[in-house]
Amino acid sequence: MNSSSVSTVTRHLAWFAVETGTWIGEWCGTVPAPVVPPSVSGDARLLRLNAWLQELQSYITPDGSPYEMESQAWDLQRWDACPVGGAVCVDVTTHGWPVGDFRWATFNVVDRRLTFSESHLYLQVSTDTLQLDVNHTSGRPVQTTDTKLVADVTDTAFAPWHGQLFGRFVSKGGRLVFLPRDPGRFPEIVSHAVTDQHPALAVLASLDQARLALESAHR
Amino acid sequence: MSRQLNPSQVWTQYPVASRLVEVNTKTGFSLTAGSYAVLASSTQGGVINVGSAYSNTATISSVTTTRATVYYGGGTYAVAAGNDGGSRITLTNATTVTANRGTNSGDQETGYRVNEFF
């Protein structure tokens, strides 16, 4: 069989640590299709497909692969720390999600179950109107777009007020100041913290400032 | 992604690519779809403040629109906007939820939830 006659398929693979279930990395690309006779079905088919996946993924690492890659994302520290045989490779193609979306998922090896238990909190700012107008929750990453600046505020000073943080940014004294729509809903120090001199980074750059300001206030 | 390789890493000759590639020895076993279960695979949601406009959008984690559904999660309306008849929620594309309403007076918050099925 020459290489031109080999049919190919696109596969999105994710690796998790067997011991902890935590995400190690993801890879998506074109690989040679599995060859399973139509007469083989059920558990026998899954057995063959798992063996096929084990074989093809053995040539994929963060450093490269012989396959045509579309995209990849790795936690290199976790990869380097993973012992021989310490990872499980899961074919997540069927989800149809972007590479990197499984970074907060965990894989339970005993139950063979993929779980999205970790929710992240997002604030979104419309860059054309400078309105903080969306509070969103998801177990997967949300990407910033041309018109929406998205900030992950999980575990930040804003988290307790997520769901009610709305308002707009105005220029005041050379700084960009956040004016909450309902200032009485949360401490003034929170709204004061959502400021920065660069509109495009207003929320993102202020997160650490907000945390520090609140920590100082509580001392 | 490129990085300095560890000299102790195992290398082999992969016949198809005809070039040296590193062998992944870290994976103990592999599972294709059908060999594992998925729990709470994709549920996300939030609140859109439509403000003084007819519509506004929220950016969400990517979903496959043919198997995803968006639910209206209730709304709050400014007292002055007595003629506000509520809002309509639409999954506009894989990463966008849109809230529309019939007026642009008064402030309005619209809740939404997006579920994806497998």
Side-chain angles (χ1 to χ4, degrees):
Chain A
M1 180 186 297
N2 63 43
S3 59
S4 63
S5 65
V6 175
S7 63
T8 58
V9 291
T10 298
R11 282 294 177 268
H12 179 179
L13 309 177
W15 285 262
F16 298 89
V18 169
E19 194 170 314
T20 61
T22 52
W23 179 87
I24 295 175
E26 283 171 61
W27 183 95
C28 183
T30 305
V31 298
V35 181
V36 181
S39 59
V40 179
S41 60
D43 289 345
R45 183 172 182 276
L46 284 179
L47 204 63
R48 289 201 184 196
L49 288 175
N50 289 342
W52 162 78
L53 180 60
Q54 176 70 6
E55 168 67 15
L56 83 85
Q57 69 82 42
S58 69
Y59 298 106
I60 300 172
T61 74
D63 297 305
S65 81
Y67 314 121
E68 186 181 339
M69 184 194 69
E70 290 180 12
S71 58
Q72 63 177 346
W74 298 92
D75 185 322
L76 293 177
Q77 282 189 326
R78 290 181 186 171
W79 172 264
D80 290 339
C82 181
V84 172
V88 53
C89 175
V90 181
D91 183 344
V92 294
T93 312
T94 186
H95 291 76
W97 295 338
V99 166
D101 266 27
F102 294 83
R103 65 180 65 243
W104 300 318
T106 56
F107 192 81
N108 184 320
V109 174
V110 175
D111 296 331
R112 294 198 168 183
R113 189 175 60 212
L114 189 62
T115 305
F116 293 81
S117 55
E118 186 180 335
S119 276
H120 279 244
L121 309 176
Y122 298 95
L123 296 178
Q124 299 183 19
V125 179
S126 292
T127 52
D128 53 348
T129 61
L130 289 182
Q131 293 273 352
L132 196 169
D133 50 19
V134 175
N135 288 215
H136 184 73
T137 303
S138 177
R140 295 185 287 130
V142 178
Q143 307 297 333
T144 290
T145 68
D146 290 341
T147 57
K148 291 283 185 185
L149 179 71
V150 180
D152 186 341
V153 297
T154 311
D155 297 328
T156 71
F158 301 110
W161 293 277
H162 188 266
Q164 49 192 330
L165 273 168
F166 298 102
R168 62 194 173 94
F169 294 89
V170 296
S171 182
K172 197 173 182 180
R175 287 180 55 82
L176 200 70
V177 178
F178 177 64
L179 295 181
R181 192 196 58 191
D182 303 311
R185 278 189 178 183
F186 42 82
E188 196 174 73
I189 192 169
V190 173
S191 58
H192 285 174
V194 193
T195 58
D196 191 82
Q197 293 184 349
H198 306 286
L201 300 173
V203 173
L204 295 171
S206 66
L207 296 182
D208 286 340
Q209 295 172 23
R211 190 201 302 267
L212 289 173
L214 274 186
E215 287 174 352
S216 299
H218 289 159
R219 284 195 191 112
Chain B
M1 181 187 299
S2 64
R3 62 173 176 160
Q4 199 70 31
L5 293 173
N6 182 344
S8 66
Q9 286 172 317
V10 180
W11 293 77
T12 190
Q13 183 76 35
Y14 185 60
V16 174
S18 297
R19 64 181 172 88
L20 290 174
V21 293
E22 185 186 3
V23 170
N24 173 358
T25 59
K26 295 178 182 290
T27 306
F29 61 101
S30 301
L31 299 172
T32 53
S35 300
Y36 66 93
V38 181
L39 185 66
S41 54
S42 180
T43 299
Q44 54 184 318
V47 181
I48 302 173
N49 183 12
V50 181
S52 298
Y54 285 101
S55 70
N56 197 6
T57 61
T59 300
I60 64 173
S61 303
S62 182
V63 297
T64 301
T65 54
T66 51
R67 63 184 183 204
T69 304
V70 61
Y71 298 95
Y72 176 62
T76 60
Y77 310 94
V79 176
N83 62 344
D84 199 330
S87 57
R88 184 176 68 245
I89 290 289
T90 308
L91 183 59
T92 310
N93 57 44
T95 58
T96 308
V97 169
T98 303
N100 290 285
R101 62 174 178 164
T103 180
N104 64 349
S105 65
D107 216 42
Q108 184 198 55
E109 291 176 10
T110 301
Y112 62 91
R113 183 149 292 276
V114 179
N115 291 344
E116 191 171 9
F117 303 97
F118 296 95

